[in-house]
Amino acid sequence: MMNIRYINHLLLSAIILCLCSVAVSCTKDEEPFDNPFIYIEAEGGASSVVVNSDVNNTNTYNVYVSSRAFNRNLEVSYEIVVGDGLQAGRDFEIVNPGNSLTFMPGIYDMPIRIRWKPNRVDPSKNNTLTIRLTGNNMGFTLGLPGPDMLKREVVIEKRNP
């Protein structure tokens, strides 16, 4: 009889100890993971896309902000890197003026638009256009968090069909 009482007491003590540790861990004031970041994607979420050289089309490449609400304008700068096989005006036209986007409070996505013009390309040359995020005024991470900085840029290759 004494053994059963002792075992029951140990079990009850273990249960109380577990409940107390759960209650204590639930009341800690821990800051949730918060790493605001800015990234760019082509349609469908791709980081690399192909545009046919015979198209006459305006494509949209979206820049997104993932963060808590902010109360001032977020300025995001980007650069356009053009391979030696493409030429502005002949192969494409950047529709957006300048090289920055302004995200007002409550806005979390903004477009960069490129009008692609029909013109065959020399396949022996670099026929890529890269849109690369280069900075912002709030210190947000550029690209997805992590060492690879995925989605910091979109690479568009123009190819002959």
Side-chain angles (χ1 to χ4, degrees):
M1 192 75 155
M2 186 66 106
N3 265 345
I4 293 176
R5 276 183 148 175
Y6 182 69
I7 292 173
N8 283 341
H9 179 68
L10 283 177
L11 286 174
L12 183 61
S13 296
I15 291 171
I16 291 171
L17 182 61
C18 287
L19 290 174
C20 288
S21 66
V22 167
V24 168
S25 68
C26 289
T27 61
K28 289 183 182 176
D29 289 331
E30 294 181 10
E31 186 68 26
F33 180 74
D34 184 24
N35 181 13
F37 58 96
I38 305 163
Y39 63 102
I40 185 169
E41 291 181 337
E43 287 185 35
S47 293
S48 168
V49 293
V50 173
V51 172
N52 284 335
S53 64
D54 61 351
V55 301
N56 186 12
N57 196 34
T58 300
N59 291 1
T60 300
Y61 307 93
N62 284 310
V63 177
Y64 298 96
V65 177
S66 178
S67 77
R68 294 180 179 181
F70 44 92
N71 59 7
R72 61 185 172 118
N73 289 352
L74 169 65
E75 301 289 330
V76 177
S77 56
Y78 61 90
E79 66 181 350
I80 305 289
V81 180
V82 182
D84 65 348
L86 299 180
Q87 183 179 337
R90 180 190 70 194
D91 295 297
F92 67 91
E93 178 184 339
I94 307 297
V95 177
N96 297 56
N99 64 344
S100 67
L101 300 170
T102 301
F103 292 81
M104 294 188 292
I107 305 297
Y108 294 92
D109 60 280
M110 295 283 294
I112 297 174
R113 292 188 176 94
I114 299 177
R115 181 175 299 121
W116 293 98
K117 298 182 174 191
N119 186 56
R120 292 190 61 78
V121 293
D122 179 348
S124 68
K125 294 191 174 185
N126 177 354
N127 298 304
T128 62
L129 182 145
T130 302
I131 306 169
R132 181 177 301 129
L133 303 178
T134 58
N136 67 88
N137 64 333
M138 291 191 192
F140 290 3
T141 297
L142 297 174
L144 300 180
D148 296 333
M149 295 186 294
L150 299 174
K151 299 198 177 188
R152 182 177 182 175
E153 65 183 28
V154 166
V155 178
I156 305 121
E157 181 180 3
K158 189 171 185 181
R159 285 190 201 157
N160 297 326

